[in-house]
Amino acid sequence: GAVVSQHPSWVICKSGTSVKIECRSLDFQATTMFWYRQFPKQSLMLMATSNEGSKATYEQGVEKDKFLINHASLTLSTLTVTSAHPEDSSFYICSATRGTSQETQYFGPGTRLLVL
Amino acid sequence: GENVEQHPSTLSVQEGDSAVIKCTYSDSASNYFPWYKQELGKRPQLIIDIRSNVGEKKDQRIAVTLNKTAKHFSLHITETQPEDSAVYFCAASTPGNQFYFGTGTSLTVIP
């Protein structure tokens, strides 16, 4: 159990367009979902923490108007990269935990975004 | 916020030897420390974790130690095998359930 999916797995878009990435917990209810960004050969950088039904908590330096996060249900969170630019090209990974206490994070497979 | 440092950034060992990766953290409130293995282009996978009320945990060839006073924790892999080659990340989690990752260690096990 504890499977997290992401869609799409790979997206190429033109500069200035917006891209939506979905993160779903397939067999459990995810109270909390996290969004990370990963550059090649670098670590996971936490972008925001998302709790169902409430506004996401963004890490310092992450533009909330640029990276819109919606956690509409216990199984779905979305990240929208608005007006994407080449510097937004990256690997975006979501993860989810099942409870309100500290627990194992289950990671999605990631979405590779390339902005031309 | 929490700051997690990880060393070394790259590590090469002969098959059968042991590998040790070390992490330090800054926030004394952090109380959960997982380790993840990430193969190229794939998602991180949890391999072992430890909570702050425990000093050591072992699972077959993998062990983790935690020194709360010094704020550091380490991953130990014994009898390494080529399939252990990957990038390993440590992480520290605060009671607010936010996870902060180390910079990663690229481990290569030479057959």
Side-chain angles (χ1 to χ4, degrees):
Chain A
V3 178
V4 176
S5 70
Q6 269 182 254
H7 178 81
S9 57
W10 171 257
V11 57
I12 301 173
C13 69
K14 291 183 179 180
S15 185
T17 60
S18 294
V19 175
K20 180 186 281 188
I21 303 169
E22 293 186 349
C23 177
R24 292 182 186 272
S25 55
L26 299 185
D27 53 0
F28 67 100
Q29 293 187 326
T31 310
T32 306
M33 285 184 168
F34 303 86
W35 286 96
Y36 295 87
R37 186 172 180 177
Q38 187 176 33
F39 292 102
K41 298 184 180 181
Q42 293 191 27
S43 186
L44 295 156
M45 183 190 79
L46 178 64
M47 298 175 67
T49 302
S50 170
N51 292 293
E52 184 266 337
S54 61
K55 291 184 178 180
T57 302
Y58 289 81
E59 293 298 299
Q60 192 172 12
V62 178
E63 299 175 59
K64 58 182 68 176
D65 294 331
K66 172 77 172 175
F67 300 99
L68 299 178
I69 292 172
N70 184 287
H71 193 160
S73 75
L74 284 171
T75 59
L76 173 65
S77 177
T78 60
L79 168 68
T80 301
V81 183
T82 62
S83 187
H85 291 285
E87 57 266 29
D88 298 324
S89 299
S90 190
F91 191 52
Y92 292 88
I93 303 180
C94 72
S95 69
T97 57
R98 286 188 282 199
T100 54
S101 61
Q102 285 175 311
E103 280 197 41
T104 302
Q105 288 189 73
Y106 299 94
F107 283 88
T111 296
R112 195 164 298 281
L113 170 64
L114 177 60
V115 184
L116 301 177
Chain B
E2 174 66 280
N3 181 42
V4 179
E5 294 188 357
Q6 184 172 344
H7 299 281
S9 57
T10 58
L11 178 62
S12 292
V13 299
Q14 290 291 137
E15 182 177 358
D17 287 350
S18 296
V20 180
I21 303 170
K22 299 181 179 181
C23 286
T24 61
Y25 61 99
S26 61
D27 190 344
S28 56
S30 291
N31 55 3
Y32 174 62
F33 307 92
W35 284 88
Y36 294 87
K37 176 183 180 182
Q38 187 178 29
E39 296 177 4
L40 189 63
K42 296 187 177 181
R43 76 186 83 191
Q45 298 276 9
L46 178 72
I47 54 172
I48 196 167
D49 57 10
I50 192 167
R51 298 188 185 273
S52 59
N53 57 347
V54 176
E56 185 174 356
K57 184 176 178 181
K58 189 173 182 180
D59 182 4
Q60 299 182 337
R61 297 187 295 110
I62 296 173
V64 57
T65 58
L66 170 65
N67 183 326
K68 282 179 58 180
T69 305
K71 290 197 230 139
H72 66 71
F73 55 113
S74 302
L75 177 71
H76 303 252
I77 306 174
T78 58
E79 300 172 31
T80 53
Q81 301 167 2
E83 50 266 37
D84 293 331
S85 296
V87 178
Y88 291 80
F89 293 100
C90 63
S93 173
T94 64
N97 211 24
Q98 290 173 300
F99 288 73
Y100 297 90
F101 284 77
T103 47
T105 297
S106 178
L107 172 65
T108 302
V109 179
I110 304 166

